[in-house]
Amino acid sequence: MSDSEIKISVIIPVYNAKKYLGKCLDSVLAQSYSNWEAFIIDDASTDDSYKILSQFAEKDERFNIYRHNVNKGPGHTRNEAIQYATENKGDLLQNYKEYIVFLDSDDWIEKSYFQSIVQIANNEKADVIFVDVVQEDEFGNFIKNECMSLYKEKDKDTIIRHQMTGKLPWGGWRKAVKGDLITKNKINYSSDAIGEEAIYSFKLLYNAKSIAFIEDALYHYVIHSNSQSGKRDDDPWGPASRKMEEYLKEINVYNKYKKTHNSFAFTSLIVSIYRITQYYSLKEAIRKSRLSFRRYQRDYGFDIEKDSLEKRISFLLPFARFNTVLPIVLIAKLKAIINSI
């Protein structure tokens, strides 16, 4: 198959992104590979985002722009864009190949990104292609690299388990996916405000026949000083963890992944404790954290797959095993203080 026969469908959900949107869309226009189409949904922005999108649509007809009258959230918006990108493809030639690529509206991509996906697609026939990521601040200063390609020698089962817990970060924008893998298996995002990509990522990898990696940091993930939601959420990962448990039971693989899911639930607990220490006094944080810890013990216990935990989470596991919450709260509180300085 020649390069030109592969279509890149890039999905960009937008909400109040006028400050960053131009750079994001310019990076799509600058791609060295030309067979792409963008499906962009403005999720009821209240700034000038839609005006900017309209201007880019006038520049290039490959930008397909849609708009919500009410805000529906990132999961719903991405699912809708997937439908736009994949609909009416059944009558195309049998050798037609489409890869779905996600791009957040405040991020940007190197000009060789689409071309690199196409080269890997042709060489390795991969269903899922991970890409290395550069984390940078809003001023373009380097923070760190996310080397997804460290997993290139790992087997599929390890990749699935580490992605489930977030040790291998979720994020639809960290991977390109064959369009028919999504449509044939009816894969979509959950409606959760945080963690909407957890089950989506599991479904992709579970159904993928082959996984490949781009060993270049071609995606720039921009972290903003005000990026954390203003909404207080004591348990941001909890809903995603519980939905993952329900889904694993639904497809009859819960016993296979039980220890991994326990690791996911424990990670969710630690994330919750860290949030609680940010929102409440020390006394109240201890009280709330103990309640959360008791619920975790009741529902899951410590039959945990330690290898699937991030190091910072694994470090706290001994305290939890000894039924000691106070050190975890104090460590979290200290970290919050340091980060605020």
Side-chain angles (χ1 to χ4, degrees), residues 143-179:
I143 298 175
K144 68 176 183 178
N145 283 325
E146 291 184 14
C147 295
M148 316 297 281
S149 58
L150 291 174
Y151 280 79
K152 66 180 181 179
E153 303 298 334
K154 302 291 186 181
D155 59 82
K156 176 181 169 179
D157 189 63
T158 298
I159 295 172
I160 287 175
R161 292 177 187 275
H162 288 198
Q163 178 107 110
M164 187 190 298
T165 65
K167 182 176 182 178
L168 177 63
W170 304 324
W173 45 263
R174 291 181 174 94
K175 43 192 172 281
V177 186
K178 269 188 182 178

Side-chain angles (χ1 to χ4, degrees), residues 109-127:
I109 49 179
E110 297 282 349
K111 66 179 181 180
S112 60
Y113 183 36
F114 293 171
Q115 185 67 59
S116 297
I117 291 171
V118 169
Q119 288 174 351
I120 294 291
N122 277 325
N123 293 338
E124 303 194 32
K125 315 300 180 188
D127 290 327

Side-chain angles (χ1 to χ4, degrees), residues 68-211:
H68 289 158
N69 292 323
V70 295
N71 184 267
K72 298 183 179 181
H76 180 98
T77 300
R78 291 188 182 101
N79 290 337
E80 188 177 331
I82 289 171
Q83 290 183 335
Y84 290 138
T86 58
E87 65 185 356
N88 302 323
K89 299 291 173 65
D91 295 331
L92 295 175
L93 295 176
Q94 189 174 8
N95 65 352
Y96 176 87
K97 291 289 185 238
E98 175 185 34
Y99 277 80
I100 303 292
V101 174
F102 291 94
L103 175 59
D104 280 358
S105 58
D106 51 356
D107 298 339
W108 62 282
I109 49 179
E110 297 282 349
K111 66 179 181 180
S112 60
Y113 183 36
F114 293 171
Q115 185 67 59
S116 297
I117 291 171
V118 169
Q119 288 174 351
I120 294 291
N122 277 325
N123 293 338
E124 303 194 32
K125 315 300 180 188
D127 290 327
V128 177
I129 303 171
F130 282 94
V131 61
D132 285 354
V133 173
V134 178
Q135 281 191 21
E136 61 188 44
D137 67 21
E138 56 197 297
F139 305 107
N141 297 312
F142 174 83
I143 298 175
K144 68 176 183 178
N145 283 325
E146 291 184 14
C147 295
M148 316 297 281
S149 58
L150 291 174
Y151 280 79
K152 66 180 181 179
E153 303 298 334
K154 302 291 186 181
D155 59 82
K156 176 181 169 179
D157 189 63
T158 298
I159 295 172
I160 287 175
R161 292 177 187 275
H162 288 198
Q163 178 107 110
M164 187 190 298
T165 65
K167 182 176 182 178
L168 177 63
W170 304 324
W173 45 263
R174 291 181 174 94
K175 43 192 172 281
V177 186
K178 269 188 182 178
D180 60 0
L181 176 68
I182 293 176
T183 55
K184 288 178 181 178
N185 297 287
K186 299 178 180 179
I187 297 172
N188 52 31
Y189 286 82
S190 76
S191 58
D192 300 295
I194 298 176
E196 76 278 4
E197 297 167 318
I199 297 178
Y200 167 81
S201 294
F202 176 84
K203 289 179 179 179
L204 287 180
L205 297 174
Y206 185 74
N207 288 286
K209 294 180 180 178
S210 57
I211 300 169

Side-chain angles (χ1 to χ4, degrees), residues 276 280-290:
I276 287 170
Y280 303 97
S281 67
L282 179 59
K283 182 179 179 180
E284 183 66 3
I286 293 171
R287 186 188 71 82
K288 285 181 169 290
S289 296
R290 281 176 174 160

